[in-house]
Amino acid sequence: MNLRHDIKRILREETNKDLTLVIEMLLEGFVNDHKDILCKVEVKHPDKRTKLPHSDNVYENYRVTFYLIGGYGSDNWPATQSVRRMFDDLMNEAWDLIYNYTGQKLDMFTKHVNSCGDIIQENKDSSIPNMIKTLGITDAIKYFGNYYTIEPYLKVVDKVNFIKEKVIELSDDDYYGIRLAEIDEDPLHYSDEDGEEHQIEELGLTSVDISVYEDEYSGYLRDYYVKYESLPVQIIEELVEILLNH
């Protein structure tokens, strides 16, 4: 009853006649009722449908793509006459459902998959990058509850941005960043050159401060700066690992 009430309300309030949401709501329940053979549907408004090059054709009907369990290796493979009839009956039922509620005719298409697990992975592969883009890395980690869930989808520039975000978050000063010692972390080894020890001791807002010593334990010589974007990928990875703990 709540679904019907929501649909009637949307139909009353709809001013631009975009019924995409209504059709999606109706078909969401339809998918749940047929999840043994139907994984999901995708609905496109007529104005958002892809037009053929050099074609003046204007689409009038909503496009609905049905993801059916019928790919190679599935229980519904090969597509026998009874399987095809089952799919036809399913789509006819969906067509009648939408037409009876909205008066809209549908252009219907199918894609066949081995299982709904294929769709879940496909959705995951697209949704995680979108969430990273929308939320930023810090909030995306909180949303998914684990850095390593999103790590495969991160580019180096994303990790650099995460380091900068964390430095700003941890810093008491808007200009100088933080020293690793302030967050109870040891200096990070950067390189050995000509017997000299180079190590990262301070994280600035845009670069790291690298201190140079005669050896690992004594003889301070000088400092220099390297922008985050210019750091080796391995160092960027290590900095991310350090900052994840704070």
Side-chain angles (χ1 to χ4, degrees):
M1 294 297 294
N2 289 336
L3 176 60
R4 293 182 180 179
H5 175 76
D6 290 342
I7 290 171
K8 290 179 181 178
R9 175 182 56 78
I10 292 171
L11 286 172
R12 287 196 305 267
E13 296 175 354
E14 196 69 54
T15 56
N16 60 1
K17 303 303 179 183
D18 184 351
L19 302 179
T20 303
L21 178 60
V22 174
I23 295 173
E24 288 176 341
M25 290 172 66
L26 286 167
L27 291 178
E28 181 180 354
F30 186 79
V31 170
N32 289 334
D33 291 340
H34 298 86
K35 56 187 177 183
D36 56 327
I37 57 173
L38 178 60
C39 294
K40 75 168 187 175
V41 297
E42 290 179 346
V43 181
K44 278 192 177 181
H45 187 279
D47 292 345
K48 296 181 180 179
R49 293 180 59 176
T50 303
K51 296 181 180 180
L52 296 174
H54 313 298
S55 173
D56 295 328
N57 180 50
V58 177
Y59 291 110
E60 296 181 356
N61 299 334
Y62 287 79
R63 172 185 172 129
V64 179
T65 303
F66 292 77
Y67 287 77
L68 302 168
I69 301 176
Y72 178 78
S74 70
D75 292 339
N76 296 320
W77 179 270
T80 62
Q81 184 175 353
S82 62
V83 169
R84 288 194 292 270
R85 187 182 302 115
M86 176 178 64
F87 288 157
D88 288 343
D89 290 344
L90 178 79
M91 295 178 69
N92 287 336
E93 184 181 348
W95 197 97
D96 289 341
L97 173 67
I98 299 306
Y99 184 77
N100 290 338
Y101 264 96
T102 68
Q104 293 292 322
K105 299 177 180 179
L106 303 179
D107 291 337
M108 308 172 78
F109 298 82
T110 62
K111 289 187 178 181
H112 294 86
V113 297
N114 291 348
S115 70
C116 292
D118 297 341
I119 303 299
I120 293 172
Q121 184 60 43
E122 177 184 319
N123 289 344
K124 180 180 178 182
D125 289 343
S126 61
S127 66
I128 292 179
N130 289 338
M131 291 299 289
I132 294 170
K133 182 177 180 180
T134 301
L135 299 176
I137 296 178
T138 300
D139 287 338
I141 292 171
K142 295 176 183 176
Y143 179 85
F144 289 102
N146 191 321
Y147 168 76
Y148 300 100
T149 300
I150 70 171
E151 195 277 335
Y153 304 90
L154 298 178
K155 301 176 182 178
V156 173
V157 64
D158 296 322
K159 295 177 181 179
V160 167
N161 288 336
F162 170 74
I163 294 170
K164 292 178 179 179
E165 289 176 13
K166 290 297 291 185
V167 169
I168 292 173
E169 177 187 329
L170 296 170
S171 175
D172 293 329
D173 192 300
D174 293 335
Y175 298 99
Y176 295 107
I178 57 171
R179 295 184 61 82
L180 289 176
E182 294 172 4
I183 56 174
D184 297 322
E185 296 286 350
D186 294 329
L188 179 62
H189 174 76
Y190 184 70
S191 68
D192 292 309
E193 297 179 20
D194 300 325
E196 298 174 342
E197 172 73 14
H198 297 237
Q199 58 186 31
I200 297 172
E201 297 186 350
E202 184 175 326
L203 307 181
L205 303 183
T206 60
S207 60
V208 296
D209 182 352
I210 300 176
S211 298
V212 183
Y213 296 87
E214 291 182 359
D215 55 46
E216 186 176 356
Y217 302 103
S218 62
Y220 169 80
L221 298 173
R222 62 189 179 279
D223 278 46
Y224 64 96
Y225 297 91
V226 177
K227 288 187 175 295
Y228 289 113
E229 291 82 359
S230 300
L231 292 172
V233 173
Q234 179 60 36
I235 296 294
I236 292 173
E237 298 277 2
E238 292 185 52
L239 287 174
V240 169
E241 292 284 347
I242 289 172
L243 294 172
L244 282 172
N245 297 320
H246 300 279

